[in-house]
Each structure stands twice: as C-alpha cells, then as structure tokens.
Amino acid sequence: MINSDFLKSLNEAQKRAVTHLEGPLLIVAGAGSGKTKVLTSRIANLIKEKKAFPNQILAVTFTNKAAKEMQNRVSTILKAEATGLSWLGTFHSICAKLLRKHAPAVNLKSNFTIIDSDDQSRLIKNICKSENIDTKQLSPKYILSIIDKWKNKGLYPNEVIIKSKDIYEKNILPLYKIYQKKLVDLNSCDFGDLILHTVKIFENNNDIRDIYSRNFKYILVDEYQDTNFIQSRWLNLLAEKNRNICCVGDDDQSIYSWRGAEIKNFLEFDKIYKETKVIRLEENYRSSQNILSVASSLISNNQNRVGKTLRSTKDKGELVKLNCFKNGKDEAIGISDELENNFKNKISYNDTAILVRAIFQTREFEERFLKIGIPYRIIGGTKFYERAEIKDCVAYLRIIFQEKDDLAFERVVNNPKRSIGENTIRLIHEYSKKNSISLEKSSKKLIEMNLIKPKTKIGLNSFLSLIDKWRYDLNIKKFNHVKLLQIILDESGYSAMLKNKRDLENENRLENIKELLSAMKEFDNLESFLEHVSLATSIDQEWNEEKVNLMTMHASKGLEFDIVFLPGWEEGLFPHQKSIEEKGQNGLEEERRLAYVGITRAKKRAIISFSMNRFYQGDWIDSMASRFIDELPEKYLEKNSSFDEIKDEIEDFEFNQDFEDNENIKSPGWIRYQKRIK
C-alpha cells in the first residue's frame, strides 16, 4: 500500500515539480533544496496516479550510493510496489543491462566481461610493447585518458578526426583501433564502451531503439549538470517517443569539466526540448541565510547560468567570516586555534570541514594538527606523508642516510623502472639473508660475482652508483637535505617520469613534491626531517572518535557540515591559474562554481581566509587575495582584526575578466604575481 502522505511534506515548488507529469521538465535544484526528495516523490506520484508501471520508469544516477539512497526512499513510500522499479540505477549499470540483451549488434556475446582499470592498463601495455611504443614517452594512463575522452564524445576509432596540432593524439589513434579490436576478440568491454555501444546500437537499429523509447514512459535524471556528450545522447534517444524526460541538477554546481562533463547539456536543455517546463527549487534546508547570500552574490558574477535565488528556511545566522593572515603557517595556526575553541565549546570535530582547492594544501594543516594533537581524516584522498610520491621521496632520503634501510631500498630500487624485476629482487633478498648483509651490499656482491643478468646489471649498477654519489653530496659536499632531494629527483629520473605521464594525477603528485620541498626547509638537517616523518606516520591513527574533515572542494560535493573553513583564497591558487589559461572565461566560471559549492557545504558557519605570504616550492612568495574575495558582499562579512591592517599594504589593482576561450590572457594582478615569483 502506497503511503499517500508523501506530498504533504513538500513545499510549493517541490510539489509543482512532482505533479507536473507531462512533457520535458528541467528542475533547477539549488544547493540543499531537497532534489533527492523531489525525485523519489515524483517516482511515487507517477505510480500513484497510474501514469506508468514501475518497469516503465527509467531513473538514472551517477553513483551506486545515490542509486541506493533513491531506491530506499522510494521503497519507504511505495512499500512492496517499489520492487518493480527494475530500471533504477547508474548510467553504467543500466547500459550494461541493455547491452547484455543486444550484445551481438556490436559483435559481442551476451556473457561479455567488463574489464577494470588494471585490465585496461595491462592491455594497453601489451599493445604498446607489440607496437614498439615507448611507454616512458607515452604513458598507458595518458593513452587510456584520450581513448576515454573519445568514447565520451561518442566516437569509435573510425570516427575520430585528429587536428594537425594534436601530435600525441595522432600517435594514439592507431592504438585505439587495436585496443577496440582486442576487446572484441576477448569478448570484453570497458566502462566507456557500456554507454558508447548502447548508443551505437540505438543509432543503428531503429527497431531496438523504438522498443525502449516507447517502453520508458518517464525518464528521470539526477545531477544532469554532470553529464557528458554520450550520456546526454543516450538520454535523448530514449526520450524520443514519449518526451517525458525530467532532469534535475544545478548548473551552479557544475565542477567536473575535467572529467568530460558538459554544462551546455543543462543550459541548452530547453533548446533540445522546446516545450520544456522549468521549475526552480530555491528553498534551502541546509544553510543559514547569510551563507546563502554570500554564495548567491558570488555566483551571480557568472554569465553562463540559468539563474536562481536561494532562500533559507533557517534564520540569518552568523556573518561569513573573512580572515587575512600574514602567511600560510599563521593561517594553519589560526584555524587550528578556532577548532580547539570550538571543541571546548562542545562543537564536534566531525561537524567541521576544511576545504582546499588543491590537495597539496592539506600538508600545512596536517603538520599543525599532528603537532598539537587534533585528530583528522582526509576525505577522498590520502594523508600527506602516506601519499605514494611522498613515500618514494622519503625512501630515497632514508637509503642515503642509512645504508641498512632495506625497506627503503626495496621501494626505490626499481622506481623509476630500471629493468630490475621480481626474480632479481628475490635473488638479492636470498643472498642478503644468507650472508646477513643489507640489500644494498647484497646487490653489490651479486654484481661482483657476475650473477645478475646483463640488462638488469646495467640498471642496478646505475642505481647503486647514484646512491654512492648522493651520499658523497650529503656527507662530503655538505649539500643540505632540500638541495639533495632536488638532485635525487632530477638524476634518478623520478621528476621526468611524472612529467612524461601527462595527466591530472601526476600533476598533483608534482605539486605534492613541491610542497614536500617547502616542508623540508623547516628542518635543520636530514636527520631531523626523517625523524619528523617517522613520528608523523607512526602517531596513533586509530582515532575512532571525532576527527576534523580535510578534503578538496571537488571531494566535498554532496556533503554538508556545521562549520566549513575555506583557506587559501589567493590569486593563482584559487581561481587556479591553470584552469584560466586552458579554458579562459569558461575556466574562470567553473572555478567560481567551485567556490559556490565550497561555501554552500556550510550549515551554520563559513570561514574564508587567505594569506599575504605563502611558502611555495622552497621560497616565500607574496600572495594576493583572490578576485573572488572582491566579489563577496561586504554586508554579510565579518573581517578579522588584522584584515584591514594587512589589506592596506596591498596596492590597488583591477582584474581583467574579459577572457576568451583558448586565449592566454592574464589579468594585471596575475602578471604582478608572476613578477613577484620571479
């Protein structure tokens, strides 16, 4: 029996969105406006009003978590009738289901396997090997990212057109052709294929498309602003007959263009479906009005948006705090002091989050928290000294400092690759154990006895020689530990390895290493730094109780906290200069949407801060307040006591925001910033 009271708990806008049942519908759902409640209530209402049977409703989400939450909520309302909702799930799960039924149409059998990222990587590596492709110059990860990009654009290998300037893509296209053929031979597909194949089946088989387009009387889509081209194409094909497609999302929270999301799908929805009804959900159940006023004022500077005005169901609340600090260390101290005061006043650490623009920024906070004993967790990432690239750097330093450090030796002996395989490592271990000597000495002995294969011997000898040279640099030349690591990264080929692998992950790793070099300057010598790292990584990590939440703004999407700190609002860091250089005005607007997402995570208190100096890549640089700070409305802000004093020291400047796509235009402020760095 359906619980018919579900409509009574809806506000007027939500009720209109739930009860508008005919034709295309775009629900512009502001942050904290109850979009999941609307979607689930809409499904329930469609069944209650006998507009469709459960199996005639297609409801699509991006994550399994969101799909499960939707299923649970619908089950609460529909009771037993919810079992018929067989088409509620993620894009990939629903496409996999469709593809199983029609696999022969794309030369697959219905029992095809879906390969994961590890399988993809192995397959590409094998192809590169057979085609004599140097994976140091063209990494498998980068190759797969380009292939995935093409699939998101709806392109099979024979449909890809390469621009003359795209040299790398020109080299990757033949590999894409081989890769797709291999997948067919293996009766397999990757995640990108699940949607791509399904779209191609629909495009090339009108009879199949008609079956599903007629069956799905109603289509509901969550987080529509995050869809890419192929996902949008799939939805449009399925909505062809009945045109009862309801898309829910928030264009102001579109922050995933780097993952292929196209905001134009949302902005141009009413151009594809001329008869679109647009309903705005503007009542916010999460944040106080002052927080919403700041966020709304900031995002209003974006040109490419549908537009809405959020109203809080709560009171005005506290003013948004704007803090200015002399440097990044003071910023970390200031925030940690406030966290401790909050904790004394019975405010849980669990209810507090620190949201940063880039993951390397967590380091300063982690250092401070470890020093004074504030427990913390990293959401969507790894703690600074536990990140793979940081552990690699530390391992290099450890083996130089201590020849008997076998764990460090084993970690870096073949990192980067030096043709030292598992069999050789096993041989080194066996000789070491037998003779009670270190792995390093064992390696030297085995080379002397000519027990190492020629190719492996070259790589191992090179590594051992470098270790000896770096010890000489440290002990005889008296190079400091910071300079030593810079030399290691250069001469080992580690930096080159990361730079050659062209993807966002490796860019983040390089940023983390730069931050490590900055951190090392705070210590007098290598010994004291290594001791610090050991203590930092050995501190009891089993804080089962309360922890402060540390994460990037991207990772915070969909979450909420009573108190949110937003540090590092400085030009070049936020908005991030790379985003502006690559995407111009579009990049700037996406950065502003990211700021909007960050602010709207806060329920009771939002604290924005920036510093006038920051220790970056081993040097102090003058920073400037982000242009976003100038866009915050004064009447909703409370500034800390040092703000005006420090602010007076900054000469006036004006940012040029008249960017055009693909143009490398810099604002006067950024030019000034660059001069200071140099």
Side-chain angles (χ1 to χ4, degrees):
M1 187 73 177
I2 297 174
N3 178 6
S4 57
D5 291 337
F6 65 94
L7 292 175
K8 293 179 182 177
S9 62
L10 303 174
N11 64 41
E12 284 306 308
Q14 290 174 335
K15 198 172 289 183
R16 284 201 308 275
V18 168
T19 56
H20 181 86
L21 303 180
E22 300 303 323
L25 174 65
L26 183 68
I27 302 174
V28 184
S33 62
K35 66 177 177 66
T36 305
K37 185 178 184 178
V38 166
L39 278 171
T40 51
S41 299
R42 187 173 167 83
I43 293 171
N45 196 49
L46 286 167
I47 295 169
K48 175 177 173 283
E49 295 297 323
K50 301 190 183 321
K51 290 290 184 177
F53 293 111
N55 67 355
Q56 293 175 318
I57 298 171
L58 171 66
V60 193
T61 68
F62 271 87
T63 65
N64 289 317
K65 182 184 175 184
K68 191 174 179 180
E69 184 185 358
M70 195 181 293
Q71 184 72 59
N72 290 340
R73 289 201 189 191
V74 173
S75 296
T76 303
I77 300 171
L78 293 179
K79 309 299 182 186
E81 292 188 49
T83 54
L85 283 169
S86 51
W87 296 101
L88 192 161
T90 64
F91 279 97
H92 290 110
S93 67
I94 291 170
C95 282
K97 189 174 177 179
L98 290 167
L99 193 54
R100 295 255 179 233
K101 292 188 177 186
H102 307 285
V106 285
N107 300 315
L108 293 172
K109 296 175 183 174
S110 59
N111 65 342
F112 63 83
T113 55
I114 304 167
I115 65 171
D116 60 18
S117 55
D118 287 342
D119 293 329
Q120 284 181 277
S121 186
R122 272 198 301 273
L123 183 55
I124 283 291
K125 283 175 182 174
N126 291 336
I127 292 169
C128 288
K129 191 175 180 180
S130 65
E131 297 297 309
N132 294 315
I133 302 291
D134 185 359
T135 53
K136 290 180 181 177
Q137 297 298 319
L138 202 58
S139 75
K141 198 161 187 175
Y142 179 65
I143 294 168
L144 285 167
S145 73
I146 298 299
I147 290 173
D148 192 54
K149 182 185 80 171
W150 285 330
K151 290 186 177 184
N152 288 342
K153 295 283 185 187
L155 302 171
Y156 277 154
N158 63 320
E159 298 169 316
V160 174
I161 299 171
I162 306 291
K163 295 177 183 175
S164 56
K165 63 178 182 178
D166 294 327
I167 300 169
Y168 284 100
E169 292 192 6
K170 190 177 178 182
N171 293 328
I172 292 170
L173 183 54
L175 303 178
Y176 181 23
K177 290 176 181 175
I178 299 168
Y179 174 75
Q180 283 303 105
K181 187 176 183 307
K182 289 275 188 187
L183 286 176
V184 172
D185 292 343
L186 293 166
N187 192 35
S188 299
C189 63
D190 60 24
F191 278 93
D193 285 331
L194 292 174
I195 305 178
L196 178 60
H197 284 330
T198 308
V199 165
K200 295 300 183 185
I201 290 169
F202 288 164
E203 287 179 341
N204 299 326
N205 301 272
N206 293 342
D207 55 335
I208 297 174
R209 182 173 77 245
D210 282 353
I211 290 170
Y212 294 101
S213 184
R214 292 184 191 282
N215 178 71
F216 294 134
K217 289 188 175 181
Y218 291 89
I219 298 172
L220 297 91
V221 190
D222 191 17
E223 303 285 8
Y224 188 63
Q225 79 280 348
D226 292 334
T227 54
N228 57 31
F229 171 84
I230 197 69
Q231 289 163 339
S232 178
R233 177 65 177 150
W234 179 74
L235 290 165
N236 292 338
L237 288 167
L238 286 172
E240 195 173 65
K241 296 297 180 188
N242 294 307
R243 298 181 71 80
N244 291 322
I245 180 168
C246 168
C247 292
V248 184
D250 184 2
D251 52 318
D252 290 336
Q253 296 188 69
S254 178
I255 58 175
Y256 296 124
S257 68
W258 50 277
R259 260 181 4 198
E262 296 190 6
I263 192 173
K264 72 175 185 180
N265 292 340
F266 193 95
L267 298 176
E268 297 177 3
F269 183 84
D270 58 352
K271 292 180 182 175
I272 298 169
Y273 300 98
K274 303 290 185 186
E275 67 275 37
T276 294
K277 172 79 171 175
V278 178
I279 296 176
R280 290 171 171 80
L281 305 183
E282 296 177 312
E283 281 191 61
N284 176 286
Y285 294 89
R286 177 189 299 154
S287 308
S288 65
Q289 186 57 53
N290 283 333
I291 291 171
L292 293 183
S293 296
V294 169
S296 297
S297 180
L298 176 67
I299 201 64
S300 68
N301 290 279
N302 274 7
Q303 296 169 13
N304 296 309
R305 59 190 296 259
V306 176
K308 60 185 173 301
T309 304
L310 290 182
R311 302 179 303 276
S312 178
T313 57
K314 305 178 184 298
D315 57 18
K316 284 187 176 180
E318 296 181 27
L319 295 172
V320 172
K321 286 182 76 173
L322 179 59
N323 292 335
C324 180
F325 295 96
K326 287 184 179 177
N327 54 58
K329 186 174 276 189
D330 279 357
E331 185 177 47
I333 292 170
I335 289 173
S336 63
D337 286 350
E338 194 162 346
L339 285 168
E340 287 192 305
N341 286 333
N342 291 343
F343 192 69
K344 287 174 186 174
N345 292 320
K346 309 297 182 186
I347 297 173
S348 168
Y349 284 142
N350 287 334
D351 295 332
T352 305
I354 299 172
L355 311 184
V356 296
R357 172 61 182 85
I359 193 66
F360 77 84
Q361 291 174 261
T362 67
R363 199 273 306 173
E364 263 184 320
F365 294 101
E366 291 188 60
E367 297 274 18
R368 178 66 183 167
F369 293 168
L370 289 167
K371 188 175 182 178
I372 64 175
I374 291 180
Y376 69 95
R377 66 173 68 86
I378 303 286
I379 305 291
T382 311
K383 292 181 177 181
F384 186 80
Y385 286 111
E386 293 173 8
R387 293 168 195 167
E389 61 279 7
I390 303 301
K391 293 177 82 168
D392 291 343
C393 291
V394 171
Y396 269 112
L397 293 168
R398 279 169 47 189
I399 190 63
I400 292 161
F401 185 73
Q402 167 61 268
E403 179 256 341
K404 293 182 179 178
D405 195 331
D406 287 349
L407 290 174
F409 180 93
E410 192 168 8
R411 183 174 184 93
V412 297
V413 67
N414 198 40
N415 187 13
K417 301 291 183 189
R418 299 186 177 92
S419 302
I420 303 167
E422 290 181 10
N423 290 335
T424 304
I425 299 291
R426 195 180 302 113
L427 182 64
I428 295 169
H429 266 287
E430 287 171 356
Y431 192 85
S432 163
K433 188 177 179 180
K434 187 178 177 182
N435 295 278
S436 301
I437 56 176
S438 67
L439 295 183
E440 184 181 339
K441 279 189 176 175
S442 173
S443 302
K444 289 177 177 178
K445 287 286 187 184
L446 289 167
I447 288 172
E448 286 174 15
M449 294 185 292
N450 208 27
L451 294 174
I452 304 291
K453 291 178 181 178
K455 188 179 177 183
T456 304
K457 184 178 177 180
I458 294 169
L460 188 57
N461 234 336
S462 170
F463 173 71
L464 294 168
S465 299
L466 283 170
I467 295 291
D468 289 339
K469 187 262 180 187
W470 295 330
R471 284 198 187 118
Y472 184 84
D473 289 342
L474 177 68
N475 300 319
I476 308 301
K477 288 190 175 181
K478 302 295 181 182
F479 287 169
N480 69 48
H481 50 299
V482 180
K483 186 175 180 180
L484 179 65
L485 180 56
Q486 289 170 326
I487 291 169
I488 291 168
L489 290 166
D490 182 38
E491 294 180 350
S492 68
Y494 196 93
S495 287
M497 174 185 73
L498 294 183
K499 288 173 183 174
N500 287 334
K501 294 177 179 177
R502 299 159 52 92
D503 58 46
L504 183 63
E505 188 178 339
N506 283 300
E507 286 177 17
N508 288 337
R509 285 175 174 167
L510 285 166
E511 286 291 334
N512 285 332
I513 290 172
K514 290 170 184 174
E515 185 63 18
L516 176 66
L517 289 164
S518 295
M520 290 171 67
K521 278 211 168 182
E522 298 176 19
F523 299 88
D524 294 331
N525 51 49
L526 179 58
E527 184 176 6
S528 61
F529 170 70
L530 290 176
E531 185 178 319
H532 168 76
V533 175
S534 297
L535 290 170
T537 52
S538 65
I539 284 177
D540 182 20
Q541 299 298 309
E542 296 303 314
W543 284 309
N544 292 320
E545 298 173 1
E546 299 190 3
K547 300 178 188 178
V548 175
N549 301 285
L550 259 170
M551 72 197 80
T552 64
M553 288 185 225
H554 282 103
S556 74
K557 179 103 181 297
L559 304 177
E560 58 183 45
F561 305 91
D562 283 352
I563 302 171
V564 171
F565 292 89
L566 298 148
W569 281 42
E570 295 139 33
E571 197 64 18
L573 180 55
F574 191 48
H576 204 286
Q577 184 58 19
K578 187 172 181 281
S579 185
I580 294 174
E581 284 182 351
E582 290 183 353
K583 301 172 193 169
Q585 180 69 24
N586 289 339
L588 177 63
E589 293 205 355
E590 181 157 340
E591 290 288 296
R592 194 177 281 111
R593 291 196 293 270
L594 192 56
Y596 175 85
V597 167
I599 295 169
T600 55
R601 299 310 93 195
K603 294 196 286 187
K604 297 177 181 178
R605 254 190 270 169
I607 304 98
I608 298 167
S609 60
F610 67 98
S611 63
M612 299 310 302
N613 295 278
R614 195 164 289 278
F615 202 56
Y616 185 68
Q617 297 188 32
D619 291 303
W620 284 102
I621 60 168
D622 294 340
S623 308
M624 292 186 310
S626 166
R627 70 189 73 191
F628 295 158
I629 286 176
D630 287 338
E631 297 172 358
L632 304 177
E634 291 270 343
K635 65 178 179 179
Y636 302 117
L637 298 178
E638 177 192 338
K639 300 176 182 179
N640 68 336
S641 57
S642 61
F643 183 90
D644 291 325
E645 175 194 338
I646 301 173
K647 187 79 171 171
D648 288 341
E649 298 173 11
I650 312 169
E651 50 190 83
D652 290 332
F653 63 89
E654 196 174 309
F655 289 107
N656 175 11
Q657 296 191 12
D658 296 327
F659 294 100
E660 291 184 20
D661 289 344
N662 303 319
E663 286 195 20
N664 196 21
I665 301 174
K666 310 288 196 303
S667 70
W670 177 252
I671 292 168
R672 181 179 136 202
Y673 179 67
Q674 287 295 307
K675 285 178 179 175
R676 288 186 175 189
I677 293 176
K678 290 172 183 174

